[in-house]
Amino acid sequence: MTALLNIENYRLDIPTFDGVLKVLDGIDIKLDQGDTLGIVGESGCGKTVLARSILGIGPRNAKRVSGQIVFDATALDELSEAEWRRIRGVKISMIFQDPMTYLNPLLTIGRQLSDVVVAHHRAQGMQVPAKAERLARCGQLLEQVQIADTQRVLKSYPHQLSGGMRQRILIAMALAGEPKLLIADEPTTALDVTIQAQILKLLRDLVDRLGLTVVMISHDVGAIAALSRRVAVMYAGTVVEQGEAESILTRPRHPYTRGLLAALPDIEGATHPLEAIPGTIPNLITPPTGCRFHPRCPRATAICRQQKPETRSIGADHVVACHHAFD
Amino acid sequence: MLTFTFRKIAVLVGTMLGLAALTFLITNVAPGDPARLVAGPDATNDMVETIRQEYGLDRPLYEQFAIYMGDLLTGDLGRSIVSTRPVVDELMRYVPATLELVLVAMVLGILVGVPFGMLSAVYKDRFLDQVTRIFSISGVALPAFWFGILLQLFFAVRLEWLPVSGRLPLTELPPEPITHLLLVDSLLRGQFETFWAALSHIILPAIVLSFPCLASILRVNRAEMIEVLQSDHIVAARAHGISSARIVTIYALKNALLPTLAMIGLRFGWMLGSTVLVETVFDWPGIGLYAVSSALASDFKPVVGVTLVIGFFFMITNTLVDLAYAWIDPRLRRA
């Protein structure tokens, strides 16, 4: 079975005033239809840039140095703007981090949602439905994300609704085109903890019910674990470890993954002090040579400074990129 | 929205009264004795005193103020000393001409400034953007009297496409007044030839007057568009597959229009107050010329009248801008 999403040796540079940011450094990610992948990593590790590249909405001046992103047998990097429109929202769609700023403040929810519905019909060459039909469809989409008072919500502006409600609306918009692949970029980060749980549960239900393929991005390992069967751990533009969530979260092999998990509070056996990873994430204009994690790594040796570690398989579905991976 | 509207109108009335009081004060502290001016250089002290009594200038200031405000509310702005005609009558002659000129210039500024500002933002740093940049810098930099004469020389004298000056040819009778705006009245009366004549006369002065205003509208709209186009909800709209054209014209322009509107309101007031140069060059019978000649003759009543009229239209525009703000941005409606 060929993967629905295949990212191969993807390298991306972003020229800035201070120099060229080497944002993504050879990313390899495969995702089968119906599977769920969580990408976890610190802020600034390139998660969001990667996610947006999948939808062709990354930074305008970003330059692809090598590799490609193939979705459903289509090389996405080659697409024209017109071709993108047949993909965005229809085949791949996205949920965003902050529901506060990702909805247009000056248009009603109904207007924004129905625009999305219209765009999808146009993209697929179908006739745009009449107004009543569109409204019914919008109501249906809101019901799907468990919003009860659909008529009132459709007439509302974003500022009149709560954060949780707005996130539900963004999810409804993302699902409007019945996409195959859903990218969730930190969907719970900006929400209260209780709302986070609700949104995660809603996403879980939708993924199960609609059989969605999901890429979820977060720095919250808990949120990732709740939704993803597989996990990819990113550090400074590289994937350091990838595989089944179960395997990675219980037996991490990469020193960075270990550090990340050790930095998490543990409710049940809260006996050990939380460990922080020493140092900070590197400057991506002049990234460390060899393994990008070596300046912060407790196991680093001479080879780590000189050679970028190959990604090697260490289990049925578990790869790691480290010269000195744990056994 | 309704309470918001009423509140804005209440503020408008209050500001108008404040302006009236302020102009009264200023004319009273200004140097020169109006009674002596009216009486003329050869008048005896007795004559001046008689005139002082006649005009109520001997009464205490608060009484004068009450009379002035009372007159104002009944639409009486006094008489011009120079022409001895009621100021209201003279304003009725001059204000529509200026208002028409400013309105046409404003429409021109908006119709060109907003779309080109939008396009410059979309094609930022590309050819079109560079062209509009040069265009708008010249717009702000060129002095109106020089630019006006240049246009006259080229379009009126050299090409003879447009008339040099005036509001209508001497041979053309103005239409029976309805709004006192020639363009509107001639259309309403169905006198299309008069309309074309009026239009051909107003084009050049309107272009000259609107140029700096157009330039600032363009630049503000461009800057706002660039900022809005980078915001999160635009990224989201793109991700949802909304077309670029729709994103630019609806999702971004609506947000960018708010600061542009503020600029439009400010520029409108600025144009009303700065028509005098354009009116001089194009011999346009408006309030700019009227105000300057009255001020030079120390004829205070017309100056007060003009000040109040400009203030009135300025406040009206800004109230309209405030209402448009609330109409565009739902978050302001409760404020």
Side-chain angles (χ1 to χ4, degrees), chain A residues 88 101-102 104 115 120 157, chain B residues 232-233 238 240 246 251 330:
Chain A
R88 285 187 196 131
T101 57
Y102 282 92
N104 193 314
D115 270 5
H120 295 339
Y157 288 94
Chain B
D232 289 344
H233 60 84
R238 284 183 69 200
H240 292 137
R246 196 172 177 79
Y251 282 71

Side-chain angles (χ1 to χ4, degrees), chain A residues 43-102:
Chain A
S43 308
C45 72
K47 301 174 301 224
T48 296
V49 171
L50 178 64
R52 292 193 177 181
S53 300
I54 302 175
L55 253 185
I57 54 170
R60 229 170 244 212
N61 53 347
K63 272 206 189 73
R64 179 170 57 115
V65 182
S66 76
Q68 57 176 357
I69 301 178
V70 178
F71 169 81
D72 209 6
T74 314
L76 295 182
D77 300 284
E78 320 289 332
L79 294 184
S80 68
E81 198 57 24
E83 288 168 320
W84 263 119
R85 228 177 294 153
R86 285 197 288 275
I87 302 264
R88 285 187 196 131
V90 185
K91 292 198 169 143
I92 310 176
S93 68
M94 191 154 177
I95 331 176
F96 296 92
Q97 181 172 15
D98 189 350
M100 194 81 177
T101 57
Y102 282 92

Side-chain angles (χ1 to χ4, degrees), chain B residues 33-41 43 48 51 54-55 57 80-81 298-299:
Chain B
D33 181 353
R36 195 163 285 282
L37 268 169
V38 173
V48 172
I51 287 171
E54 196 181 312
Y55 279 75
L57 294 172
S80 157
I81 296 172
S298 293
D299 195 354

Side-chain angles (χ1 to χ4, degrees), chain B residues 10-325:
Chain B
V11 170
L12 173 75
V13 172
T15 323
M16 204 58 222
L17 290 175
L19 177 70
L22 207 64
T23 39
F24 173 79
L25 272 178
I26 288 173
T27 49
N28 271 284
V29 296
D33 181 353
R36 195 163 285 282
L37 268 169
V38 173
D42 301 327
T44 61
N45 279 346
D46 278 355
M47 286 162 80
V48 172
E49 212 43 53
T50 318
I51 287 171
R52 205 186 296 284
Q53 274 171 24
E54 196 181 312
Y55 279 75
L57 294 172
D58 57 336
R59 302 196 195 185
L61 209 57
Y62 64 86
E63 248 178 66
Q64 284 188 48
F65 182 65
I67 293 168
Y68 162 82
M69 289 303 267
D71 284 350
L72 212 60
L73 292 176
T74 53
D76 182 0
L77 290 172
R79 277 171 186 275
S80 157
I81 296 172
V82 177
S83 71
T84 69
R85 284 157 43 92
V87 171
V88 174
D89 289 359
E90 299 198 318
L91 285 177
M92 281 307 283
R93 243 176 59 210
Y94 296 120
V95 170
T98 294
L99 202 60
E100 186 166 39
L101 183 60
V102 168
L103 283 174
V104 171
M106 197 74 242
V107 168
L108 210 64
I110 295 171
L111 286 187
V112 179
V114 171
F116 277 94
M118 184 180 86
L119 288 173
S120 305
V122 174
Y123 298 106
K124 180 173 171 261
D125 293 333
R126 307 254 283 278
F127 182 70
L128 181 85
D129 187 31
Q130 308 293 4
V131 171
T132 63
R133 176 174 298 147
I134 293 169
F135 187 73
S136 37
I137 290 171
S138 2
V140 179
L142 291 182
F145 57 89
W146 184 78
F147 185 50
I149 292 170
L150 210 69
L151 289 188
Q152 277 177 330
L153 276 176
F154 193 69
F155 289 103
V157 179
R158 174 79 66 85
L159 296 175
E160 293 183 14
W161 286 356
L162 296 165
V164 178
S165 64
R167 212 180 161 200
L168 266 188
L170 291 173
T171 51
E172 196 88 39
L173 267 176
E176 197 63 23
I178 303 172
T179 60
H180 293 271
L181 305 177
L182 291 184
L183 289 174
V184 180
D185 287 353
S186 57
L187 273 187
L188 288 177
R189 299 270 181 214
Q191 293 165 297
F192 296 110
E193 265 173 49
T194 317
F195 174 78
W196 284 117
L199 192 64
S200 68
H201 278 81
I202 208 169
I203 286 178
L204 290 185
I207 287 177
V208 174
L209 187 62
S210 82
F211 206 22
C213 147
L214 181 159
S216 42
I217 291 176
L218 192 154
R219 293 304 287 180
V220 169
N221 200 43
R222 173 188 177 273
E224 284 305 316
M225 281 292 290
I226 287 172
E227 199 172 316
V228 176
L229 282 173
Q230 286 167 348
S231 57
D232 289 344
H233 60 84
I234 297 295
V235 172
R238 284 183 69 200
H240 292 137
I242 311 275
S243 72
S244 311
R246 196 172 177 79
I247 285 178
V248 171
T249 54
I250 292 175
Y251 282 71
L253 183 61
K254 208 174 175 191
N255 297 265
L257 268 185
L258 291 171
T260 311
L261 263 176
M263 177 51 85
I264 289 171
L266 285 175
R267 277 293 174 176
F268 189 84
W270 175 86
M271 281 205 285
L272 272 176
S274 66
T275 51
V276 61
L277 285 176
V278 177
E279 286 177 4
T280 311
V281 170
F282 288 94
D283 201 11
W284 192 265
I287 48 171
L289 277 178
Y290 177 59
V292 169
S293 56
S294 305
L296 289 178
S298 293
D299 195 354
F300 281 127
K301 289 275 154 88
V303 174
V304 169
V306 168
T307 310
L308 289 177
V309 164
I310 291 180
F312 177 70
F313 282 111
F314 187 56
M315 281 183 251
I316 291 272
T317 346
N318 278 289
T319 307
L320 288 178
V321 165
D322 279 350
L323 291 178
Y325 252 76

Side-chain angles (χ1 to χ4, degrees), chain A residues 102-159:
Chain A
Y102 282 92
L103 285 165
N104 193 314
L106 306 187
L107 302 174
T108 60
I109 302 301
R111 174 76 179 275
Q112 298 186 53
L113 200 51
S114 103
D115 270 5
V116 172
V117 171
V118 170
H120 295 339
H121 279 82
R122 290 232 173 92
Q124 289 165 306
M126 297 192 294
Q127 207 190 338
V128 174
K131 197 177 174 198
E133 214 176 311
R134 284 207 302 263
L135 216 65
R137 172 78 180 133
C138 292
Q140 208 183 345
L141 286 167
L142 290 184
E143 276 163 24
Q144 194 179 24
V145 292
Q146 292 158 20
I147 290 175
D149 199 358
T150 56
Q151 289 315 304
R152 184 184 64 86
V153 171
L154 284 176
K155 284 192 199 105
S156 305
Y157 288 94
H159 73 277

Side-chain angles (χ1 to χ4, degrees), chain A residues 233-297:
Chain A
V233 181
M234 274 185 79
Y235 180 78
T238 55
V239 174
V240 294
E241 192 166 7
Q242 186 175 182
E244 261 182 68
E246 175 81 33
S247 168
I248 287 184
L249 299 179
T250 53
R251 282 196 65 202
R253 308 294 190 90
H254 196 284
Y256 176 67
T257 317
R258 283 227 167 167
L260 199 65
L261 294 177
L264 288 178
D266 182 353
I267 292 182
E268 277 151 35
T271 47
H272 65 92
L274 290 183
E275 288 169 45
I277 305 175
T280 53
I281 48 165
N283 170 0
L284 292 183
I285 292 173
T286 49
T289 54
C291 173
R292 286 188 173 188
F293 186 56
H294 83 252
R296 299 172 73 184
C297 183

